[in-house]
Amino acid sequence: MTDTDPQPTVRERGLAKMAEVYGFEFSDGPGAHFAVTADHLFADIWSRPALTVRDRRLLLLGALTAQGLFDIAGIQVGSALHNGELDEEQLREIALFLCHYVGWPAGTQLDTVVGQAVAQHRKKTGNQHR
């Protein structure tokens, strides 16, 4: 940017970070909930410099698995694969590791989610091998 280029707004920064995290473009959404998500969670929290997106995703996968929120974990796994942050072997290792800390059923369910996301990712990319 030059001195004459306008700085991006908080919303623009939030939408850009959302696109980086999930691997597809977001358009502005209605309501206070979307505003807080874009403006605070993504423009501020996900954009802090001390942790990478991958670091934050690892933490989020652990928290989601501990809470049994496997539908949302599936979104995170798919995004990690799409963005090249984690591969199948790493994701399966995360599931096995979490079995020991959040319970075998939860870790096993995450492993199932990983398998589904990997199959979907392979279908999209045409890569049928590890």
Side-chain angles (χ1 to χ4, degrees), residues 43-71:
D44 292 336
I45 302 303
W46 275 83
S47 298
R48 294 174 58 83
L51 297 174
T52 66
V53 169
R54 182 182 185 274
D55 294 338
R56 292 175 198 285
R57 193 170 325 272
L58 288 168
L59 291 165
L60 185 51
L61 282 170
L64 293 170
T65 301
Q67 295 176 75
L69 299 172
F70 300 106
D71 53 341

mmCIF file with all atom_site columns, all heavy atoms in Angstrom, residues 43-71:
data_model
loop_
_atom_site.group_PDB
_atom_site.id
_atom_site.type_symbol
_atom_site.label_atom_id
_atom_site.label_alt_id
_atom_site.label_comp_id
_atom_site.label_asym_id
_atom_site.label_entity_id
_atom_site.label_seq_id
_atom_site.pdbx_PDB_ins_code
_atom_site.Cartn_x
_atom_site.Cartn_y
_atom_site.Cartn_z
_atom_site.occupancy
_atom_site.B_iso_or_equiv
_atom_site.pdbx_formal_charge
_atom_site.auth_seq_id
_atom_site.auth_comp_id
_atom_site.auth_asym_id
_atom_site.auth_atom_id
_atom_site.pdbx_PDB_model_num
ATOM 1   N N   . ALA A 1 43 ? -10.783 -10.560 12.744 1.00 0.00 ? 43 ALA A N   1
ATOM 2   C CA  . ALA A 1 43 ? -9.910  -9.390  12.547 1.00 0.00 ? 43 ALA A CA  1
ATOM 3   C C   . ALA A 1 43 ? -8.965  -9.203  13.725 1.00 0.00 ? 43 ALA A C   1
ATOM 4   O O   . ALA A 1 43 ? -7.834  -8.744  13.539 1.00 0.00 ? 43 ALA A O   1
ATOM 5   C CB  . ALA A 1 43 ? -10.743 -8.127  12.332 1.00 0.00 ? 43 ALA A CB  1
ATOM 6   N N   . ASP A 1 44 ? -9.405  -9.575  14.927 1.00 0.00 ? 44 ASP A N   1
ATOM 7   C CA  . ASP A 1 44 ? -8.566  -9.376  16.112 1.00 0.00 ? 44 ASP A CA  1
ATOM 8   C C   . ASP A 1 44 ? -7.923  -10.680 16.599 1.00 0.00 ? 44 ASP A C   1
ATOM 9   O O   . ASP A 1 44 ? -6.704  -10.801 16.601 1.00 0.00 ? 44 ASP A O   1
ATOM 10  C CB  . ASP A 1 44 ? -9.376  -8.757  17.250 1.00 0.00 ? 44 ASP A CB  1
ATOM 11  C CG  . ASP A 1 44 ? -9.810  -7.336  16.965 1.00 0.00 ? 44 ASP A CG  1
ATOM 12  O OD1 . ASP A 1 44 ? -9.159  -6.659  16.151 1.00 0.00 ? 44 ASP A OD1 1
ATOM 13  O OD2 . ASP A 1 44 ? -10.810 -6.895  17.559 1.00 0.00 ? 44 ASP A OD2 1
ATOM 14  N N   . ILE A 1 45 ? -8.716  -11.647 17.007 1.00 0.00 ? 45 ILE A N   1
ATOM 15  C CA  . ILE A 1 45 ? -8.193  -12.837 17.684 1.00 0.00 ? 45 ILE A CA  1
ATOM 16  C C   . ILE A 1 45 ? -7.393  -13.742 16.747 1.00 0.00 ? 45 ILE A C   1
ATOM 17  O O   . ILE A 1 45 ? -6.254  -14.104 17.039 1.00 0.00 ? 45 ILE A O   1
ATOM 18  C CB  . ILE A 1 45 ? -9.326  -13.617 18.379 1.00 0.00 ? 45 ILE A CB  1
ATOM 19  C CG1 . ILE A 1 45 ? -10.060 -12.723 19.394 1.00 0.00 ? 45 ILE A CG1 1
ATOM 20  C CG2 . ILE A 1 45 ? -8.799  -14.884 19.028 1.00 0.00 ? 45 ILE A CG2 1
ATOM 21  C CD1 . ILE A 1 45 ? -9.181  -12.113 20.463 1.00 0.00 ? 45 ILE A CD1 1
ATOM 22  N N   . TRP A 1 46 ? -7.988  -14.136 15.601 1.00 0.00 ? 46 TRP A N   1
ATOM 23  C CA  . TRP A 1 46 ? -7.266  -15.014 14.670 1.00 0.00 ? 46 TRP A CA  1
ATOM 24  C C   . TRP A 1 46 ? -6.087  -14.294 14.020 1.00 0.00 ? 46 TRP A C   1
ATOM 25  O O   . TRP A 1 46 ? -5.201  -14.942 13.461 1.00 0.00 ? 46 TRP A O   1
ATOM 26  C CB  . TRP A 1 46 ? -8.201  -15.545 13.584 1.00 0.00 ? 46 TRP A CB  1
ATOM 27  C CG  . TRP A 1 46 ? -8.965  -16.779 13.984 1.00 0.00 ? 46 TRP A CG  1
ATOM 28  C CD1 . TRP A 1 46 ? -10.119 -16.826 14.702 1.00 0.00 ? 46 TRP A CD1 1
ATOM 29  C CD2 . TRP A 1 46 ? -8.635  -18.140 13.679 1.00 0.00 ? 46 TRP A CD2 1
ATOM 30  N NE1 . TRP A 1 46 ? -10.527 -18.127 14.861 1.00 0.00 ? 46 TRP A NE1 1
ATOM 31  C CE2 . TRP A 1 46 ? -9.636  -18.956 14.237 1.00 0.00 ? 46 TRP A CE2 1
ATOM 32  C CE3 . TRP A 1 46 ? -7.591  -18.742 12.980 1.00 0.00 ? 46 TRP A CE3 1
ATOM 33  C CZ2 . TRP A 1 46 ? -9.633  -20.338 14.132 1.00 0.00 ? 46 TRP A CZ2 1
ATOM 34  C CZ3 . TRP A 1 46 ? -7.582  -20.126 12.867 1.00 0.00 ? 46 TRP A CZ3 1
ATOM 35  C CH2 . TRP A 1 46 ? -8.596  -20.914 13.445 1.00 0.00 ? 46 TRP A CH2 1
ATOM 36  N N   . SER A 1 47 ? -6.029  -12.981 14.095 1.00 0.00 ? 47 SER A N   1
ATOM 37  C CA  . SER A 1 47 ? -4.975  -12.206 13.439 1.00 0.00 ? 47 SER A CA  1
ATOM 38  C C   . SER A 1 47 ? -3.818  -11.839 14.359 1.00 0.00 ? 47 SER A C   1
ATOM 39  O O   . SER A 1 47 ? -2.846  -11.242 13.904 1.00 0.00 ? 47 SER A O   1
ATOM 40  C CB  . SER A 1 47 ? -5.572  -10.924 12.843 1.00 0.00 ? 47 SER A CB  1
ATOM 41  O OG  . SER A 1 47 ? -6.523  -11.254 11.862 1.00 0.00 ? 47 SER A OG  1
ATOM 42  N N   . ARG A 1 48 ? -3.901  -12.195 15.619 1.00 0.00 ? 48 ARG A N   1
ATOM 43  C CA  . ARG A 1 48 ? -2.805  -11.869 16.541 1.00 0.00 ? 48 ARG A CA  1
ATOM 44  C C   . ARG A 1 48 ? -1.546  -12.600 16.091 1.00 0.00 ? 48 ARG A C   1
ATOM 45  O O   . ARG A 1 48 ? -1.611  -13.728 15.623 1.00 0.00 ? 48 ARG A O   1
ATOM 46  C CB  . ARG A 1 48 ? -3.198  -12.225 17.973 1.00 0.00 ? 48 ARG A CB  1
ATOM 47  C CG  . ARG A 1 48 ? -4.353  -11.343 18.491 1.00 0.00 ? 48 ARG A CG  1
ATOM 48  C CD  . ARG A 1 48 ? -4.834  -11.788 19.852 1.00 0.00 ? 48 ARG A CD  1
ATOM 49  N NE  . ARG A 1 48 ? -3.774  -11.769 20.840 1.00 0.00 ? 48 ARG A NE  1
ATOM 50  C CZ  . ARG A 1 48 ? -3.368  -10.691 21.513 1.00 0.00 ? 48 ARG A CZ  1
ATOM 51  N NH1 . ARG A 1 48 ? -3.957  -9.532  21.293 1.00 0.00 ? 48 ARG A NH1 1
ATOM 52  N NH2 . ARG A 1 48 ? -2.392  -10.775 22.400 1.00 0.00 ? 48 ARG A NH2 1
ATOM 53  N N   . PRO A 1 49 ? -0.373  -11.977 16.246 1.00 0.00 ? 49 PRO A N   1
ATOM 54  C CA  . PRO A 1 49 ? 0.845   -12.523 15.648 1.00 0.00 ? 49 PRO A CA  1
ATOM 55  C C   . PRO A 1 49 ? 1.519   -13.683 16.397 1.00 0.00 ? 49 PRO A C   1
ATOM 56  O O   . PRO A 1 49 ? 2.355   -14.376 15.807 1.00 0.00 ? 49 PRO A O   1
ATOM 57  C CB  . PRO A 1 49 ? 1.783   -11.314 15.597 1.00 0.00 ? 49 PRO A CB  1
ATOM 58  C CG  . PRO A 1 49 ? 1.328   -10.450 16.724 1.00 0.00 ? 49 PRO A CG  1
ATOM 59  C CD  . PRO A 1 49 ? -0.172  -10.634 16.778 1.00 0.00 ? 49 PRO A CD  1
ATOM 60  N N   . ALA A 1 50 ? 1.202   -13.932 17.643 1.00 0.00 ? 50 ALA A N   1
ATOM 61  C CA  . ALA A 1 50 ? 1.960   -14.909 18.425 1.00 0.00 ? 50 ALA A CA  1
ATOM 62  C C   . ALA A 1 50 ? 1.726   -16.364 18.002 1.00 0.00 ? 50 ALA A C   1
ATOM 63  O O   . ALA A 1 50 ? 2.572   -17.215 18.253 1.00 0.00 ? 50 ALA A O   1
ATOM 64  C CB  . ALA A 1 50 ? 1.653   -14.753 19.910 1.00 0.00 ? 50 ALA A CB  1
ATOM 65  N N   . LEU A 1 51 ? 0.571   -16.657 17.380 1.00 0.00 ? 51 LEU A N   1
ATOM 66  C CA  . LEU A 1 51 ? 0.269   -18.013 16.913 1.00 0.00 ? 51 LEU A CA  1
ATOM 67  C C   . LEU A 1 51 ? -0.091  -17.970 15.438 1.00 0.00 ? 51 LEU A C   1
ATOM 68  O O   . LEU A 1 51 ? -0.722  -17.020 14.977 1.00 0.00 ? 51 LEU A O   1
ATOM 69  C CB  . LEU A 1 51 ? -0.912  -18.615 17.687 1.00 0.00 ? 51 LEU A CB  1
ATOM 70  C CG  . LEU A 1 51 ? -0.737  -18.826 19.186 1.00 0.00 ? 51 LEU A CG  1
ATOM 71  C CD1 . LEU A 1 51 ? -2.051  -19.282 19.813 1.00 0.00 ? 51 LEU A CD1 1
ATOM 72  C CD2 . LEU A 1 51 ? 0.372   -19.832 19.466 1.00 0.00 ? 51 LEU A CD2 1
ATOM 73  N N   . THR A 1 52 ? 0.269   -19.013 14.726 1.00 0.00 ? 52 THR A N   1
ATOM 74  C CA  . THR A 1 52 ? -0.112  -19.127 13.316 1.00 0.00 ? 52 THR A CA  1
ATOM 75  C C   . THR A 1 52 ? -1.548  -19.626 13.209 1.00 0.00 ? 52 THR A C   1
ATOM 76  O O   . THR A 1 52 ? -2.135  -20.101 14.191 1.00 0.00 ? 52 THR A O   1
ATOM 77  C CB  . THR A 1 52 ? 0.803   -20.128 12.585 1.00 0.00 ? 52 THR A CB  1
ATOM 78  O OG1 . THR A 1 52 ? 0.577   -21.434 13.127 1.00 0.00 ? 52 THR A OG1 1
ATOM 79  C CG2 . THR A 1 52 ? 2.265   -19.741 12.708 1.00 0.00 ? 52 THR A CG2 1
ATOM 80  N N   . VAL A 1 53 ? -2.096  -19.548 12.020 1.00 0.00 ? 53 VAL A N   1
ATOM 81  C CA  . VAL A 1 53 ? -3.420  -20.120 11.774 1.00 0.00 ? 53 VAL A CA  1
ATOM 82  C C   . VAL A 1 53 ? -3.387  -21.612 12.100 1.00 0.00 ? 53 VAL A C   1
ATOM 83  O O   . VAL A 1 53 ? -4.303  -22.146 12.727 1.00 0.00 ? 53 VAL A O   1
ATOM 84  C CB  . VAL A 1 53 ? -3.887  -19.869 10.321 1.00 0.00 ? 53 VAL A CB  1
ATOM 85  C CG1 . VAL A 1 53 ? -5.120  -20.686 9.981  1.00 0.00 ? 53 VAL A CG1 1
ATOM 86  C CG2 . VAL A 1 53 ? -4.153  -18.380 10.105 1.00 0.00 ? 53 VAL A CG2 1
ATOM 87  N N   . ARG A 1 54 ? -2.323  -22.302 11.693 1.00 0.00 ? 54 ARG A N   1
ATOM 88  C CA  . ARG A 1 54 ? -2.191  -23.733 11.987 1.00 0.00 ? 54 ARG A CA  1
ATOM 89  C C   . ARG A 1 54 ? -2.194  -23.984 13.495 1.00 0.00 ? 54 ARG A C   1
ATOM 90  O O   . ARG A 1 54 ? -2.861  -24.904 13.978 1.00 0.00 ? 54 ARG A O   1
ATOM 91  C CB  . ARG A 1 54 ? -0.906  -24.279 11.369 1.00 0.00 ? 54 ARG A CB  1
ATOM 92  C CG  . ARG A 1 54 ? -0.713  -25.771 11.583 1.00 0.00 ? 54 ARG A CG  1
ATOM 93  C CD  . ARG A 1 54 ? 0.629   -26.229 10.977 1.00 0.00 ? 54 ARG A CD  1
ATOM 94  N NE  . ARG A 1 54 ? 0.809   -27.644 11.047 1.00 0.00 ? 54 ARG A NE  1
ATOM 95  C CZ  . ARG A 1 54 ? 1.318   -28.294 12.103 1.00 0.00 ? 54 ARG A CZ  1
ATOM 96  N NH1 . ARG A 1 54 ? 1.681   -27.613 13.172 1.00 0.00 ? 54 ARG A NH1 1
ATOM 97  N NH2 . ARG A 1 54 ? 1.466   -29.601 12.071 1.00 0.00 ? 54 ARG A NH2 1
ATOM 98  N N   . ASP A 1 55 ? -1.451  -23.178 14.260 1.00 0.00 ? 55 ASP A N   1
ATOM 99  C CA  . ASP A 1 55 ? -1.429  -23.325 15.713 1.00 0.00 ? 55 ASP A CA  1
ATOM 100 C C   . ASP A 1 55 ? -2.837  -23.188 16.290 1.00 0.00 ? 55 ASP A C   1
ATOM 101 O O   . ASP A 1 55 ? -3.268  -23.986 17.123 1.00 0.00 ? 55 ASP A O   1
ATOM 102 C CB  . ASP A 1 55 ? -0.549  -22.254 16.370 1.00 0.00 ? 55 ASP A CB  1
ATOM 103 C CG  . ASP A 1 55 ? 0.919   -22.358 16.039 1.00 0.00 ? 55 ASP A CG  1
ATOM 104 O OD1 . ASP A 1 55 ? 1.399   -23.445 15.654 1.00 0.00 ? 55 ASP A OD1 1
ATOM 105 O OD2 . ASP A 1 55 ? 1.610   -21.313 16.158 1.00 0.00 ? 55 ASP A OD2 1
ATOM 106 N N   . ARG A 1 56 ? -3.535  -22.171 15.834 1.00 0.00 ? 56 ARG A N   1
ATOM 107 C CA  . ARG A 1 56 ? -4.887  -21.930 16.335 1.00 0.00 ? 56 ARG A CA  1
ATOM 108 C C   . ARG A 1 56 ? -5.825  -23.068 15.944 1.00 0.00 ? 56 ARG A C   1
ATOM 109 O O   . ARG A 1 56 ? -6.686  -23.479 16.716 1.00 0.00 ? 56 ARG A O   1
ATOM 110 C CB  . ARG A 1 56 ? -5.411  -20.592 15.822 1.00 0.00 ? 56 ARG A CB  1
ATOM 111 C CG  . ARG A 1 56 ? -4.670  -19.413 16.413 1.00 0.00 ? 56 ARG A CG  1
ATOM 112 C CD  . ARG A 1 56 ? -5.114  -18.082 15.810 1.00 0.00 ? 56 ARG A CD  1
ATOM 113 N NE  . ARG A 1 56 ? -4.137  -17.053 16.063 1.00 0.00 ? 56 ARG A NE  1
ATOM 114 C CZ  . ARG A 1 56 ? -3.940  -16.444 17.234 1.00 0.00 ? 56 ARG A CZ  1
ATOM 115 N NH1 . ARG A 1 56 ? -4.677  -16.762 18.263 1.00 0.00 ? 56 ARG A NH1 1
ATOM 116 N NH2 . ARG A 1 56 ? -3.012  -15.513 17.355 1.00 0.00 ? 56 ARG A NH2 1
ATOM 117 N N   . ARG A 1 57 ? -5.640  -23.596 14.731 1.00 0.00 ? 57 ARG A N   1
ATOM 118 C CA  . ARG A 1 57 ? -6.490  -24.693 14.284 1.00 0.00 ? 57 ARG A CA  1
ATOM 119 C C   . ARG A 1 57 ? -6.254  -25.942 15.138 1.00 0.00 ? 57 ARG A C   1
ATOM 120 O O   . ARG A 1 57 ? -7.180  -26.655 15.484 1.00 0.00 ? 57 ARG A O   1
ATOM 121 C CB  . ARG A 1 57 ? -6.274  -25.003 12.808 1.00 0.00 ? 57 ARG A CB  1
ATOM 122 C CG  . ARG A 1 57 ? -7.366  -25.910 12.298 1.00 0.00 ? 57 ARG A CG  1
ATOM 123 C CD  . ARG A 1 57 ? -7.415  -26.120 10.820 1.00 0.00 ? 57 ARG A CD  1
ATOM 124 N NE  . ARG A 1 57 ? -7.069  -25.068 9.941  1.00 0.00 ? 57 ARG A NE  1
ATOM 125 C CZ  . ARG A 1 57 ? -7.898  -24.131 9.469  1.00 0.00 ? 57 ARG A CZ  1
ATOM 126 N NH1 . ARG A 1 57 ? -9.166  -24.109 9.852  1.00 0.00 ? 57 ARG A NH1 1
ATOM 127 N NH2 . ARG A 1 57 ? -7.477  -23.237 8.604  1.00 0.00 ? 57 ARG A NH2 1
ATOM 128 N N   . LEU A 1 58 ? -5.000  -26.222 15.485 1.00 0.00 ? 58 LEU A N   1
ATOM 129 C CA  . LEU A 1 58 ? -4.696  -27.358 16.355 1.00 0.00 ? 58 LEU A CA  1
ATOM 130 C C   . LEU A 1 58 ? -5.402  -27.215 17.702 1.00 0.00 ? 58 LEU A C   1
ATOM 131 O O   . LEU A 1 58 ? -6.004  -28.174 18.205 1.00 0.00 ? 58 LEU A O   1
ATOM 132 C CB  . LEU A 1 58 ? -3.188  -27.484 16.565 1.00 0.00 ? 58 LEU A CB  1
ATOM 133 C CG  . LEU A 1 58 ? -2.381  -27.969 15.369 1.00 0.00 ? 58 LEU A CG  1
ATOM 134 C CD1 . LEU A 1 58 ? -0.895  -27.766 15.622 1.00 0.00 ? 58 LEU A CD1 1
ATOM 135 C CD2 . LEU A 1 58 ? -2.685  -29.422 15.064 1.00 0.00 ? 58 LEU A CD2 1
ATOM 136 N N   . LEU A 1 59 ? -5.313  -26.035 18.283 1.00 0.00 ? 59 LEU A N   1
ATOM 137 C CA  . LEU A 1 59 ? -5.990  -25.788 19.554 1.00 0.00 ? 59 LEU A CA  1
ATOM 138 C C   . LEU A 1 59 ? -7.497  -25.953 19.418 1.00 0.00 ? 59 LEU A C   1
ATOM 139 O O   . LEU A 1 59 ? -8.161  -26.560 20.270 1.00 0.00 ? 59 LEU A O   1
ATOM 140 C CB  . LEU A 1 59 ? -5.662  -24.385 20.060 1.00 0.00 ? 59 LEU A CB  1
ATOM 141 C CG  . LEU A 1 59 ? -4.214  -24.184 20.498 1.00 0.00 ? 59 LEU A CG  1
ATOM 142 C CD1 . LEU A 1 59 ? -3.907  -22.700 20.628 1.00 0.00 ? 59 LEU A CD1 1
ATOM 143 C CD2 . LEU A 1 59 ? -3.955  -24.915 21.789 1.00 0.00 ? 59 LEU A CD2 1
ATOM 144 N N   . LEU A 1 60 ? -8.032  -25.425 18.339 1.00 0.00 ? 60 LEU A N   1
ATOM 145 C CA  . LEU A 1 60 ? -9.470  -25.503 18.106 1.00 0.00 ? 60 LEU A CA  1
ATOM 146 C C   . LEU A 1 60 ? -9.926  -26.944 17.913 1.00 0.00 ? 60 LEU A C   1
ATOM 147 O O   . LEU A 1 60 ? -10.963 -27.350 18.445 1.00 0.00 ? 60 LEU A O   1
ATOM 148 C CB  . LEU A 1 60 ? -9.852  -24.642 16.902 1.00 0.00 ? 60 LEU A CB  1
ATOM 149 C CG  . LEU A 1 60 ? -11.329 -24.499 16.579 1.00 0.00 ? 60 LEU A CG  1
ATOM 150 C CD1 . LEU A 1 60 ? -12.138 -24.072 17.798 1.00 0.00 ? 60 LEU A CD1 1
ATOM 151 C CD2 . LEU A 1 60 ? -11.508 -23.515 15.437 1.00 0.00 ? 60 LEU A CD2 1
ATOM 152 N N   . LEU A 1 61 ? -9.142  -27.742 17.201 1.00 0.00 ? 61 LEU A N   1
ATOM 153 C CA  . LEU A 1 61 ? -9.497  -29.153 17.028 1.00 0.00 ? 61 LEU A CA  1
ATOM 154 C C   . LEU A 1 61 ? -9.551  -29.879 18.373 1.00 0.00 ? 61 LEU A C   1
ATOM 155 O O   . LEU A 1 61 ? -10.444 -30.692 18.608 1.00 0.00 ? 61 LEU A O   1
ATOM 156 C CB  . LEU A 1 61 ? -8.523  -29.852 16.078 1.00 0.00 ? 61 LEU A CB  1
ATOM 157 C CG  . LEU A 1 61 ? -8.751  -29.586 14.608 1.00 0.00 ? 61 LEU A CG  1
ATOM 158 C CD1 . LEU A 1 61 ? -7.584  -30.119 13.777 1.00 0.00 ? 61 LEU A CD1 1
ATOM 159 C CD2 . LEU A 1 61 ? -10.065 -30.193 14.142 1.00 0.00 ? 61 LEU A CD2 1
ATOM 160 N N   . GLY A 1 62 ? -8.610  -29.589 19.245 1.00 0.00 ? 62 GLY A N   1
ATOM 161 C CA  . GLY A 1 62 ? -8.647  -30.188 20.576 1.00 0.00 ? 62 GLY A CA  1
ATOM 162 C C   . GLY A 1 62 ? -9.871  -29.761 21.365 1.00 0.00 ? 62 GLY A C   1
ATOM 163 O O   . GLY A 1 62 ? -10.554 -30.592 21.976 1.00 0.00 ? 62 GLY A O   1
ATOM 164 N N   . ALA A 1 63 ? -10.180 -28.480 21.331 1.00 0.00 ? 63 ALA A N   1
ATOM 165 C CA  . ALA A 1 63 ? -11.342 -27.974 22.067 1.00 0.00 ? 63 ALA A CA  1
ATOM 166 C C   . ALA A 1 63 ? -12.648 -28.526 21.506 1.00 0.00 ? 63 ALA A C   1
ATOM 167 O O   . ALA A 1 63 ? -13.538 -28.931 22.267 1.00 0.00 ? 63 ALA A O   1
ATOM 168 C CB  . ALA A 1 63 ? -11.353 -26.440 22.026 1.00 0.00 ? 63 ALA A CB  1
ATOM 169 N N   . LEU A 1 64 ? -12.768 -28.565 20.192 1.00 0.00 ? 64 LEU A N   1
ATOM 170 C CA  . LEU A 1 64 ? -13.995 -29.083 19.576 1.00 0.00 ? 64 LEU A CA  1
ATOM 171 C C   . LEU A 1 64 ? -14.181 -30.564 19.872 1.00 0.00 ? 64 LEU A C   1
ATOM 172 O O   . LEU A 1 64 ? -15.295 -31.013 20.148 1.00 0.00 ? 64 LEU A O   1
ATOM 173 C CB  . LEU A 1 64 ? -13.970 -28.841 18.068 1.00 0.00 ? 64 LEU A CB  1
ATOM 174 C CG  . LEU A 1 64 ? -14.031 -27.381 17.626 1.00 0.00 ? 64 LEU A CG  1
ATOM 175 C CD1 . LEU A 1 64 ? -13.754 -27.268 16.137 1.00 0.00 ? 64 LEU A CD1 1
ATOM 176 C CD2 . LEU A 1 64 ? -15.362 -26.751 17.997 1.00 0.00 ? 64 LEU A CD2 1
ATOM 177 N N   . THR A 1 65 ? -13.094 -31.307 19.820 1.00 0.00 ? 65 THR A N   1
ATOM 178 C CA  . THR A 1 65 ? -13.178 -32.740 20.116 1.00 0.00 ? 65 THR A CA  1
ATOM 179 C C   . THR A 1 65 ? -13.577 -32.955 21.569 1.00 0.00 ? 65 THR A C   1
ATOM 180 O O   . THR A 1 65 ? -14.435 -33.799 21.867 1.00 0.00 ? 65 THR A O   1
ATOM 181 C CB  . THR A 1 65 ? -11.837 -33.432 19.802 1.00 0.00 ? 65 THR A CB  1
ATOM 182 O OG1 . THR A 1 65 ? -11.533 -33.216 18.414 1.00 0.00 ? 65 THR A OG1 1
ATOM 183 C CG2 . THR A 1 65 ? -11.909 -34.925 20.067 1.00 0.00 ? 65 THR A CG2 1
ATOM 184 N N   . ALA A 1 66 ? -12.992 -32.209 22.476 1.00 0.00 ? 66 ALA A N   1
ATOM 185 C CA  . ALA A 1 66 ? -13.328 -32.332 23.896 1.00 0.00 ? 66 ALA A CA  1
ATOM 186 C C   . ALA A 1 66 ? -14.797 -32.030 24.157 1.00 0.00 ? 66 ALA A C   1
ATOM 187 O O   . ALA A 1 66 ? -15.412 -32.616 25.055 1.00 0.00 ? 66 ALA A O   1
ATOM 188 C CB  . ALA A 1 66 ? -12.441 -31.402 24.722 1.00 0.00 ? 66 ALA A CB  1
ATOM 189 N N   . GLN A 1 67 ? -15.370 -31.126 23.357 1.00 0.00 ? 67 GLN A N   1
ATOM 190 C CA  . GLN A 1 67 ? -16.773 -30.758 23.529 1.00 0.00 ? 67 GLN A CA  1
ATOM 191 C C   . GLN A 1 67 ? -17.725 -31.626 22.703 1.00 0.00 ? 67 GLN A C   1
ATOM 192 O O   . GLN A 1 67 ? -18.936 -31.446 22.780 1.00 0.00 ? 67 GLN A O   1
ATOM 193 C CB  . GLN A 1 67 ? -16.973 -29.293 23.136 1.00 0.00 ? 67 GLN A CB  1
ATOM 194 C CG  . GLN A 1 67 ? -16.235 -28.330 24.047 1.00 0.00 ? 67 GLN A CG  1
ATOM 195 C CD  . GLN A 1 67 ? -16.393 -26.917 23.555 1.00 0.00 ? 67 GLN A CD  1
ATOM 196 O OE1 . GLN A 1 67 ? -17.460 -26.322 23.720 1.00 0.00 ? 67 GLN A OE1 1
ATOM 197 N NE2 . GLN A 1 67 ? -15.350 -26.374 22.947 1.00 0.00 ? 67 GLN A NE2 1
ATOM 198 N N   . GLY A 1 68 ? -17.177 -32.527 21.898 1.00 0.00 ? 68 GLY A N   1
ATOM 199 C CA  . GLY A 1 68 ? -18.014 -33.384 21.061 1.00 0.00 ? 68 GLY A CA  1
ATOM 200 C C   . GLY A 1 68 ? -18.639 -32.663 19.884 1.00 0.00 ? 68 GLY A C   1
ATOM 201 O O   . GLY A 1 68 ? -19.665 -33.083 19.368 1.00 0.00 ? 68 GLY A O   1
ATOM 202 N N   . LEU A 1 69 ? -18.031 -31.592 19.423 1.00 0.00 ? 69 LEU A N   1
ATOM 203 C CA  . LEU A 1 69 ? -18.572 -30.790 18.326 1.00 0.00 ? 69 LEU A CA  1
ATOM 204 C C   . LEU A 1 69 ? -17.929 -31.224 17.005 1.00 0.00 ? 69 LEU A C   1
ATOM 205 O O   . LEU A 1 69 ? -17.161 -30.491 16.376 1.00 0.00 ? 69 LEU A O   1
ATOM 206 C CB  . LEU A 1 69 ? -18.347 -29.305 18.602 1.00 0.00 ? 69 LEU A CB  1
ATOM 207 C CG  . LEU A 1 69 ? -19.031 -28.787 19.869 1.00 0.00 ? 69 LEU A CG  1
ATOM 208 C CD1 . LEU A 1 69 ? -18.608 -27.362 20.175 1.00 0.00 ? 69 LEU A CD1 1
ATOM 209 C CD2 . LEU A 1 69 ? -20.547 -28.899 19.731 1.00 0.00 ? 69 LEU A CD2 1
ATOM 210 N N   . PHE A 1 70 ? -18.267 -32.432 16.564 1.00 0.00 ? 70 PHE A N   1
ATOM 211 C CA  . PHE A 1 70 ? -17.593 -33.037 15.428 1.00 0.00 ? 70 PHE A CA  1
ATOM 212 C C   . PHE A 1 70 ? -18.012 -32.455 14.085 1.00 0.00 ? 70 PHE A C   1
ATOM 213 O O   . PHE A 1 70 ? -17.236 -32.508 13.133 1.00 0.00 ? 70 PHE A O   1
ATOM 214 C CB  . PHE A 1 70 ? -17.769 -34.556 15.466 1.00 0.00 ? 70 PHE A CB  1
ATOM 215 C CG  . PHE A 1 70 ? -17.197 -35.133 16.717 1.00 0.00 ? 70 PHE A CG  1
ATOM 216 C CD1 . PHE A 1 70 ? -18.025 -35.582 17.726 1.00 0.00 ? 70 PHE A CD1 1
ATOM 217 C CD2 . PHE A 1 70 ? -15.829 -35.162 16.914 1.00 0.00 ? 70 PHE A CD2 1
ATOM 218 C CE1 . PHE A 1 70 ? -17.491 -36.075 18.902 1.00 0.00 ? 70 PHE A CE1 1
ATOM 219 C CE2 . PHE A 1 70 ? -15.283 -35.647 18.087 1.00 0.00 ? 70 PHE A CE2 1
ATOM 220 C CZ  . PHE A 1 70 ? -16.121 -36.115 19.082 1.00 0.00 ? 70 PHE A CZ  1
ATOM 221 N N   . ASP A 1 71 ? -19.199 -31.869 14.000 1.00 0.00 ? 71 ASP A N   1
ATOM 222 C CA  . ASP A 1 71 ? -19.588 -31.214 12.752 1.00 0.00 ? 71 ASP A CA  1
ATOM 223 C C   . ASP A 1 71 ? -18.688 -30.009 12.489 1.00 0.00 ? 71 ASP A C   1
ATOM 224 O O   . ASP A 1 71 ? -18.204 -29.803 11.377 1.00 0.00 ? 71 ASP A O   1
ATOM 225 C CB  . ASP A 1 71 ? -21.066 -30.821 12.759 1.00 0.00 ? 71 ASP A CB  1
ATOM 226 C CG  . ASP A 1 71 ? -21.476 -29.986 13.969 1.00 0.00 ? 71 ASP A CG  1
ATOM 227 O OD1 . ASP A 1 71 ? -20.752 -29.979 14.997 1.00 0.00 ? 71 ASP A OD1 1
ATOM 228 O OD2 . ASP A 1 71 ? -22.541 -29.344 13.904 1.00 0.00 ? 71 ASP A OD2 1
#
